[in-house]
Amino acid sequence: MSSQVRLKLLPRARCLFDEPVQVKVAGLRSRQVVTVRARATDERGVEFRSSATYRADGSGEIHLDRDPSLSGSYVGVEPMGLLWSLKADTLHKYFYKNKALHPHVVKFSVHEEEEKEEEGRMLAEVTNERFLIGEGVSRVPVKEGNVQGVLFTPPGEGPFPAVLDLCTFMSEKRACLLANKGFVVLALAVYTDKPDNVQPMHLDHFKEAVDFLQQQTKVGSKGVGIVSRSKGGDIALSLAAFVPGVEAVVWINGCSAIVGAPLYYKNRQILSPLPFDFDKVIRTESGASIIKYGLEDPKAKENKGTVVPVEQAKGRFLFVASGDDLNWDSKGYMEEMVERLKRHGKRNFESVYYPRAGHLLEPPYGPFCPSALHGLIRFPVLWGGDPQVHVAAEVDLWKKIQEFLRNNLSCDDTQTKAKL
């Protein structure tokens, strides 16, 4: 490595997962062309890499928030491009970073301009530790009745608003990042068993999670908020429609009807699953499929019994849909719910539409995932999204989620004191 070349991450090399960093290189020759690289390994041991070629300014410096990438994993000015463009050598790999206690470790390095297929000599290197769990946040595994999840609680006495994070499959990432912002959050998976063993779903089990959150001593909100995406979305809608105490629901790229299995509540079936037609799956050359057109239309008369009656909900909704969602027609489902709520004289919703984003809207600055193995149907699918537009949507949405939950989950000190 060159002793004169310096690679800096500002304001510091250790930060939270959802915090941006400024990447700066100094000590290069005037107008020198170099390659800046990043690499990280996920929880399954898969290595992801990215690279971009830059030309230094007259002072021998490169600022990623100012200077355009000339070629590589992305082009143009992308301050966090090396993070979101990380990808594996093999297709259809999702970056698994779901456990809160271990940071997302990224190695940044600067290399001399590469010749042919060879990686140029390394000039400088620095490690970025991106923590999911903030200082003082507690993480407690929960196994109580039918509630199996992980509870994250911010430091301090509170009172704090309560949020149920409904993941399709277990992930602690979004929950603990929200806890860092001052929410008591229970991460709960919709599917805890193997997909092959999916049984009818019982809304009562998810109601237990709502009740569990309301009983926490540091919780001060009069009701519970829910954050959901994909399959978690129709469960979140159902909780809002049938279960008291749900005050705010964030629905991201979900369905307006029940998907996958019938839904039961209080020992009776309340909703049937929307049928799926595998003949409408579109295979692509990459080996991944587009499944967007497989679900039948929830507005069809014969599917009336699958649609969640959101008009019954007392709380507020934040509907979020992506125009390039290739998993399902989230925009159409959002429009159907908005139309129905208006028809019932309801104005208890906000809607956000990202025309060129894909299905997997996540907390910002993780690797963009265009395709991966689907957890339920067990073959690779395309998620959609223009990478640069999608990751910008993630930054915007992350702020909107926090604002929505804060605005709609008011805390009362007297409620908290009564629990102690």
Side-chain angles (χ1 to χ4, degrees):
M1 285 195 286
S2 170
S3 59
Q4 67 185 39
V5 178
R6 299 177 303 283
L7 176 56
K8 290 184 179 179
L9 302 177
L10 301 173
R12 56 197 170 275
R14 291 161 64 93
C15 63
L16 290 173
F17 184 95
D18 58 346
E19 289 179 346
V21 289
Q22 293 180 52
V23 183
K24 295 188 176 183
V25 186
L28 297 168
R29 298 189 307 275
S30 176
R31 310 295 177 192
Q32 183 177 352
V33 175
V34 295
T35 299
V36 187
R37 294 182 164 275
R39 65 185 189 278
T41 303
D42 76 357
E43 290 167 353
R44 298 189 172 184
V46 179
E47 187 176 62
F48 286 67
R49 295 182 289 183
S50 62
S51 66
T53 301
Y54 288 90
R55 185 185 301 278
D57 64 14
S59 304
E61 293 190 358
I62 295 168
H63 299 189
L64 265 65
D65 58 352
R66 176 197 70 186
D67 301 323
S69 164
L70 306 176
S71 64
S73 301
Y74 56 91
V75 293
V77 179
E78 291 290 336
M80 299 290 280
L82 288 168
L83 286 177
W84 62 251
S85 68
L86 285 163
K87 68 176 184 178
D89 288 337
T90 50
L91 289 172
H92 318 314
K93 291 291 183 184
Y94 173 78
F95 189 93
Y96 284 90
K97 187 72 203 81
N98 297 326
K99 294 173 184 171
L101 295 180
H102 305 289
H104 173 32
V105 178
V106 185
K107 298 266 189 186
F108 289 93
S109 55
V110 183
H111 300 255
E112 290 181 332
E113 193 174 4
E114 293 154 19
E115 295 180 13
K116 298 178 182 178
E117 296 295 314
E118 298 292 316
E119 187 175 293
R121 181 171 70 97
M122 187 188 294
L123 303 174
E125 185 179 38
V126 67
T127 299
N128 184 201
E129 288 185 284
R130 309 185 61 78
F131 291 87
L132 277 81
I133 191 162
E135 191 174 340
V137 173
S138 76
R139 175 193 177 276
V140 178
V142 175
K143 196 167 185 180
E144 191 172 302
N146 291 298
V147 180
Q148 240 182 298
V150 181
L151 182 70
F152 294 93
T153 307
E157 293 304 310
F160 302 112
V163 176
L164 177 63
D165 186 331
L166 273 180
C167 334
T168 305
F169 296 98
M170 191 59 193
S171 172
E172 300 175 16
K173 177 167 61 181
R174 188 172 56 195
C176 72
L177 290 173
L178 279 173
N180 297 339
K181 312 295 184 185
F183 298 93
V184 172
V185 191
L186 176 65
L188 191 76
V190 173
Y191 294 109
T192 54
D193 207 345
K194 291 179 181 177
D196 297 342
N197 297 335
V198 170
Q199 302 293 324
M201 296 223 158
H202 294 270
L203 196 60
D204 314 69
H205 298 174
F206 299 98
K207 180 185 182 299
E208 282 184 46
V210 171
D211 296 340
F212 172 84
L213 267 170
Q214 289 182 304
Q215 291 159 11
Q216 299 307 301
T217 55
K218 288 189 179 183
V219 165
S221 52
K222 64 173 183 173
V224 168
I226 303 175
V227 182
S228 63
R229 187 189 67 207
S230 199
K231 172 57 188 172
D234 60 65
I235 299 296
L237 297 177
S238 302
L239 284 167
F242 294 102
V243 173
V246 177
E247 291 293 318
V249 169
V250 179
W251 174 98
I252 306 167
N253 291 334
C255 188
S256 56
I258 288 296
V259 178
L263 187 66
Y264 284 74
Y265 187 45
K266 296 181 179 177
N267 296 316
R268 69 180 184 89
Q269 183 176 319
I270 55 172
L271 293 167
S272 305
L274 190 65
F276 187 90
D277 185 353
F278 279 93
D279 290 336
K280 292 181 180 176
V281 170
I282 301 169
R283 312 286 175 185
T284 71
E285 287 181 10
S286 73
S289 299
I290 297 171
I291 63 171
K292 177 175 184 172
Y293 308 102
L295 274 177
E296 291 191 9
D297 184 0
K299 296 193 293 293
K301 188 177 179 182
E302 63 270 21
N303 295 325
K304 187 179 178 184
T306 72
V307 177
V308 182
V310 290
E311 64 274 9
Q312 293 178 189
K314 300 284 196 294
R316 289 193 62 82
F317 295 103
L318 173 62
F319 298 128
V320 183
S322 295
D324 196 35
D325 184 349
L326 297 182
N327 186 71
W328 46 27
D329 183 17
S330 52
K331 178 176 182 278
Y333 303 146
M334 178 174 78
E335 289 172 345
E336 188 268 326
M337 290 189 290
V338 165
E339 183 186 323
R340 188 148 36 92
L341 286 168
K342 285 180 177 177
R343 200 164 61 242
H344 283 83
K346 295 291 194 87
R347 294 291 183 271
N348 59 335
F349 62 88
E350 302 165 40
S351 58
V352 182
Y353 177 54
Y354 297 109
R356 289 161 59 200
H359 183 69
L360 292 184
L361 286 172
E362 300 200 314
Y365 310 129
F368 170 72
C369 180
S371 61
L373 184 69
H374 195 289
L376 288 174
I377 54 181
R378 309 311 294 167
F379 55 75
V381 301
L382 290 172
W383 299 120
D386 174 284
Q388 278 142 309
V389 177
H390 181 95
V391 298
E394 290 181 330
V395 174
D396 182 69
L397 177 58
W398 189 231
K399 293 173 188 168
K400 282 184 166 61
I401 289 171
Q402 294 168 54
E403 287 169 7
F404 173 78
L405 293 173
R406 281 202 185 90
N407 291 341
N408 293 288
L409 296 173
S410 57
C411 283
D412 182 353
D413 279 296
T414 57
Q415 282 182 293
T416 304
K417 285 170 185 169
K419 293 179 189 176
L420 295 173

